[in-house]
Amino acid sequence: MKQFSRIDSDSEVPKYKQVEDLILSDIEAGIFKQGQRVPSINETSEELLLSRDTVEKAYVLLKKQGVLSAVRGKGYYVNKTMAGKKLKIALIFNKLSNYKRSLYASFVNTMGAKASVDVFIYNYDLTEFENILNDNQNQYDYFVILPHFRNEQADISAVIKKIPKEKVLIIDKNLPELRNYPVVYQEYDHDILNALGEALDLLKKYKRLNLVFPKSEYYSRYINRGFQIFNQIHGFEYQILDSVEEKNIHQHEAYILISDNDLFDFIKLIKQKKWVPGADIGIISYNESPVKELLCDGISTISTNHDQIGHMAAEMILKHDFKRIKSPFEFIRRKSL
């Protein structure tokens, strides 16, 4: 148990039951292992600001269940790890999208019957994110977090550190302040740089490369950085656009569209002009989805493998093998380029 473990005084759940759930959750998460001593009744009552009688009631119940064993003069020890208990996992997203749905489906399918998974959405808002953690930190064995916020300079790590490190798995974004936490991450600048390199033979036929990067949405600024580095290395004329507007759409140029909404607006515009993707104009979309294989006889994409990210995150939890892994990223070649 850690200092930031809290008891909810307003909860309908009795305090002794909350203590019991805390200890069970920490055992299941591997914080306390079989044969390891747990904090004494006095230590726990002081840490959680509870009466000794309340804590003792929880310990007695855990002993009756066979979870804890008491050794006279030494304290309480973990007797069994409740290996058959279904894990409770909180999957915390910045928003819902096709990418998140794919990740969720892969994660849940990999976990199978060994876990129940609840999804929380914080809409890029740090306060809402903090509220989700504060309200649920004692209710879940693991917190799988996608940390994307409006203010990239905010102290995100201080909020995440309210949860025991053993219960946290970061996905999608590598936070330098949490370099000792397990993560399945993207490297946005290197990813787009390398993926566009795979498309270099096709891009060479276009007069200019355009990145449509909507400022009103919260995509990583490192995508811009990687795009600019690619063009500087290979000598392409380029520009970064905020939105899809007819005045900015030119024949014999290639467009990389980050937002799916911009992609659909872009396709409407070129259909009106009767331009053929891959001949009159080039299109690359960010983030693969099944529908992009069907649009316009196939839209080329640069994308991480969302299914693989979900699978790798779930495997870490199932195997209790936590590490830092770079997620795969690739260029998928289709007719639109």
Side-chain angles (χ1 to χ4, degrees), residues 191-226:
D191 286 342
I192 190 169
L193 174 63
N194 294 332
L196 291 178
E198 294 179 36
L200 185 60
D201 60 315
L202 297 174
L203 292 172
K204 283 180 177 178
K205 69 182 180 182
Y206 295 101
K207 295 178 181 177
R208 180 166 59 183
L209 305 187
N210 303 274
L211 176 67
V212 183
F213 189 93
K215 295 177 183 176
S216 60
E217 299 187 41
Y218 304 103
Y219 296 102
S220 173
R221 67 183 185 277
Y222 289 101
I223 296 173
N224 284 351
R225 179 181 173 185

Side-chain angles (χ1 to χ4, degrees), residues 20-34 67 78 80-89 111 114-115 140-142 166-167 317-320 322:
E20 179 186 352
D21 290 343
L22 273 174
I23 295 172
L24 286 172
S25 177
D26 286 351
I27 290 172
E28 189 61 38
I31 296 172
F32 300 130
K33 297 177 173 59
Q34 189 162 357
V67 177
V78 178
K80 63 180 181 180
T81 58
M82 305 292 287
K85 175 180 171 284
K86 180 179 272 194
L87 295 172
K88 289 189 67 179
I89 299 174
M111 294 302 307
K114 295 181 180 178
Y140 291 92
D141 301 302
Y142 293 99
E166 296 83 357
K167 294 186 176 186
I317 293 173
L318 287 172
K319 296 178 179 178
H320 210 72
F322 296 102

Side-chain angles (χ1 to χ4, degrees), residues 16 19-20 53-63:
Y16 76 86
V19 175
E20 179 186 352
D53 289 345
T54 297
V55 176
E56 185 175 21
K57 187 173 182 179
Y59 278 49
V60 168
L61 286 171
L62 289 167
K63 183 182 175 185

Side-chain angles (χ1 to χ4, degrees), residues 205-208 210 246-255 266 270 273-276 279-282:
K205 69 182 180 182
Y206 295 101
K207 295 178 181 177
R208 180 166 59 183
N210 303 274
E246 187 172 5
K247 65 181 180 180
N248 293 324
I249 309 303
H250 304 289
Q251 208 168 12
H252 307 305
E253 296 186 9
Y255 293 79
F266 188 87
I270 64 172
K273 295 176 179 293
K274 297 183 180 179
W275 290 349
V276 178
D280 300 306
I281 200 164

Side-chain angles (χ1 to χ4, degrees), residues 22-140:
L22 273 174
I23 295 172
L24 286 172
S25 177
D26 286 351
I27 290 172
E28 189 61 38
I31 296 172
F32 300 130
K33 297 177 173 59
Q34 189 162 357
Q36 183 177 346
R37 180 185 176 275
V38 299
S40 68
I41 292 173
N42 288 337
E43 289 169 338
T44 301
S45 64
E46 289 176 10
E47 185 175 319
L48 299 179
L49 302 178
L50 294 173
S51 71
R52 191 182 190 284
D53 289 345
T54 297
V55 176
E56 185 175 21
K57 187 173 182 179
Y59 278 49
V60 168
L61 286 171
L62 289 167
K63 183 182 175 185
K64 286 181 179 179
Q65 296 169 29
V67 177
L68 297 182
S69 60
V71 178
R72 184 180 294 275
K74 291 187 177 182
Y76 286 86
Y77 292 78
V78 178
N79 188 48
K80 63 180 181 180
T81 58
M82 305 292 287
K85 175 180 171 284
K86 180 179 272 194
L87 295 172
K88 289 189 67 179
I89 299 174
L91 194 54
I92 306 178
F93 288 158
N94 54 308
K95 68 174 183 177
L96 281 179
S97 63
N98 288 330
Y99 162 28
K100 306 299 188 305
R101 291 186 182 95
S102 296
L103 194 156
Y104 167 80
S106 175
F107 184 85
V108 169
N109 288 339
T110 303
M111 294 302 307
K114 295 181 180 178
S116 61
V117 181
D118 294 331
V119 176
F120 297 87
I121 308 295
Y122 60 87
N123 294 309
Y124 299 95
D125 186 88
L126 184 59
T127 300
E128 180 61 25
F129 174 75
E130 188 169 12
N131 289 338
I132 290 170
L133 293 189
N134 287 340
D135 292 345
N136 295 281
Q137 62 176 285
N138 297 334
Q139 309 304 316
Y140 291 92

